Amino acid sequence: YSRTGLEIAPNTSAGVQLAVQQAKGWSRLGDAPRADESLRMAGTALSQLPRPEHPEHHFVFDASKLSFYAATCYTWLGDRDHAREHTEQVIHQCLEFPGQVRWPIRLAETRVDLGLVAAGEGEVDEACELGRQALASERKSGSTLGRVAELDAVLMREHPEVGEVVHLHEQFEAARHSLT
């Protein structure tokens, strides 16, 4: 579907979004070369677009979104260095203005990516704290809880006896039930 959409609208915000969705698909399948190629394609298309007047608009693809999606792609691919690099960029962008959180859902989901990186490095306490921060976000969506579910599953599979993991799991379950 992404390829067909890219043929129809290659040099648009929609085209960039489609290239990123393609990258996410390849990342989920574990195909790093194709994911990288799709992210490069998204970056190239994005560089050809005018700078958006309202980057916060949902249907406008701005440069900061590319780092957000790249962070998730690299997390899923197990490329911790690139994932950390992109998560740090996104967190900086989201917290750039003191006392204000730009893009709270993006920040929450990026914290999950960073939590998955931490879990992969054996930093269970850090992973749990990042999961709690994601759950405490002022705005959550179904996608946010889906991402926290990924972190919860990894932690419960690998560290079910750790108190912090059990506590995060309980918080996640409560948040999931309150959303439904």
Side-chain angles (χ1 to χ4, degrees):
Y1 291 123
S2 293
R3 279 192 289 260
T4 300
L6 283 165
E7 290 173 13
I8 295 168
N11 297 314
T12 64
S13 281
V16 177
Q17 181 68 40
L18 289 164
V20 167
Q21 292 302 325
Q22 187 171 274
K24 286 177 69 177
W26 289 125
S27 297
R28 276 291 197 196
L29 293 170
D31 191 328
R34 285 186 170 156
D36 282 334
E37 178 185 334
S38 296
L39 286 170
R40 275 193 303 280
M41 186 174 19
T44 299
L46 183 61
S47 71
Q48 296 172 5
L49 296 177
R51 185 177 182 93
E53 289 183 38
H54 302 285
E56 70 283 355
H57 191 283
H58 182 72
F59 292 107
V60 171
F61 202 100
D62 65 285
S64 65
K65 281 183 188 175
L66 189 56
S67 287
F68 168 66
Y69 287 112
T72 299
C73 289
Y74 289 123
T75 298
W76 288 342
L77 289 167
D79 184 341
R80 294 185 192 130
D81 291 337
H82 281 106
R84 188 177 299 281
E85 174 187 332
H86 287 282
T87 58
E88 289 171 359
Q89 286 177 21
V90 175
I91 290 170
H92 172 75
Q93 292 161 353
C94 289
L95 300 175
E96 187 173 9
F97 302 106
Q100 178 185 349
V101 175
R102 285 176 83 185
W103 307 300
I105 293 172
R106 192 181 300 181
L107 177 61
E109 293 181 18
T110 299
R111 285 179 168 153
V112 172
D113 285 326
L114 196 53
L116 287 163
V117 169
E121 294 173 343
E123 300 292 333
V124 176
D125 289 344
E126 181 182 353
C128 289
E129 176 58 26
L130 288 159
R132 278 191 295 279
Q133 288 176 16
L135 287 172
S137 174
E138 63 189 63
R139 287 186 58 211
K140 287 184 273 303
S141 67
S143 66
T144 304
L145 288 180
R147 297 302 318 283
V148 175
E150 291 178 50
L151 179 58
D152 179 62
V154 166
L155 291 170
M156 287 299 291
R157 182 178 62 245
E158 296 178 10
H159 307 283
E161 73 291 343
V162 175
E164 288 292 310
V165 171
V166 172
H167 184 64
L168 175 64
H169 178 71
E170 291 168 352
Q171 286 179 303
F172 165 67
E173 287 296 323
R176 190 171 63 88
H177 289 298
S178 71
L179 191 64
T180 57

